[in-house]
Amino acid sequence: MKSRPRILMDCDPGIDDAFAIMCALRYCDLAAITTVNGNVSVDNTTRNARHLVHLAGAEVPVHRGAATPMEVLAITADEVHGISGLGDLHVPESPSPESDVPAIDAIIDFCREGGATIVATGPLTNIAQALAKDATLVDRIDRLFWMGGSTTVGNVTEKAEFNAWADPHAVAATFDSGVAITMFGLNLTYQVRMNSEHVAMLRQAATTTSAELADLLDYYSEHGVADDEGQPVHDTCALLGLTHPELFTVAESNIVAHVTDDDRRGMTEVQNHAEAGGQPSADVLVANTADAPAVIDLVINAAVDPLGGPSQ
Ligand code: BDR
Ligand code: CA
């Protein structure tokens, strides 16, 4: 049986974030969730995180993070995730409380435990601000697993992915900090898709979580990027890339994060060593391929029973 890594998850739920939270509950020891403006406002991402924790029957502290990016204006993706961030679901006020500790302090506290692993599935605003507030974090973080960026196509512009586009300065600051990162960009996450057969499996299981997540996936398919292969569940890749690395291939890369306010904004460009000015590479890995059917199996198991059974 696999051990369950202790993690902090920084996210902006968000439909695919909801699936990733279920995976975090099932396959990790989820110490805390921090929220950020992204798919919807931080008010909504915080409320949604609390709702999802309660829906799963878990107890995990939820810490509110940044309401705005570091330098650019805030954007959202409610055309994909719904105004609430969870499709057209009416999200009830959750009995699961919001922590008094702000996200940045929660991240710093978590990292001071040492050997910290963070999974981030939204814009990197909180992470960059925590790294700026406490320079020792670079050495205290074992690795940051981030869904964001792309080495190929974008989904906001031709080459920029949403999480990178939403706060490009946070991406640049995080990569420039030297923290160890594995990037799960669109080049990878478009390979892992859930389709109507998977929705049917969730509906047949008919658990509290699977029923709601099936509704979310239907909404997502109607409003996201779906084709015959289905709808990508981007954020689950960063989480499962940590817990099930055997299902992914990764390669060392020099990534240059573009912040300029032009058509390069939000690009995470791979440069070879010479192009990077001969600088020694920071410890950056880029995920390139996934065993998609095995990844989806894990996602479904988590969505059906987030607290269930031994970790696979
Ligand atoms: C990323 O953007 C968000 O809409 C998703 O939740 C995911 O984190 C994909 O580009
Ligand atoms: Ca997300």
Side-chain angles (χ1 to χ4, degrees), residues 227 249 311:
D227 60 19
T249 61
S311 174

Side-chain angles (χ1 to χ4, degrees), residues 130-216:
L131 286 163
K133 187 169 175 180
D134 182 345
T136 71
L137 258 51
V138 171
D139 295 325
R140 294 178 190 270
I141 296 174
D142 257 6
R143 184 162 289 275
L144 170 67
F145 293 76
W146 178 50
M147 189 283 128
S150 177
T151 60
T152 53
V153 294
N155 59 359
V156 178
T157 65
E158 199 183 322
K159 294 208 168 152
E161 180 278 334
F162 175 82
N163 291 335
W165 168 269
D167 195 344
H169 298 88
V171 179
T174 302
F175 277 74
D176 289 350
S177 74
V179 73
I181 301 174
T182 307
M183 181 177 110
F184 298 79
L186 296 178
N187 54 294
L188 179 279
T189 61
Y190 278 146
Q191 298 169 33
V192 179
R193 291 171 186 255
M194 294 184 79
N195 58 33
S196 53
E197 274 177 40
H198 303 127
V199 174
M201 290 164 79
L202 293 175
R203 294 211 183 283
Q204 191 174 8
T207 65
T208 315
T209 45
S210 74
E212 188 163 313
L213 289 170
D215 288 345
L216 295 184

Side-chain angles (χ1 to χ4, degrees), residues 109-131:
D109 290 347
F110 176 73
C111 292
R112 285 183 180 165
E113 290 177 11
T117 301
I118 296 179
V119 176
T121 61
L124 288 173
T125 321
N126 293 334
I127 305 297
Q129 290 179 344
L131 286 163

Side-chain angles (χ1 to χ4, degrees), residues 4 10 15 17 20 40 56 63 77 85 100 116 127 165 183-184 220 238-239 251 255 265 271 286 290 295 298 302:
R4 299 159 72 93
D10 187 74
I15 291 173
D17 301 78
V40 285
H63 305 265
D100 295 338
I127 305 297
W165 168 269
M183 181 177 110
F184 298 79
Y220 203 21
L239 194 288
I255 291 288
R265 169 179 163 173
Q271 285 195 334
V286 170
V295 170
L298 292 168

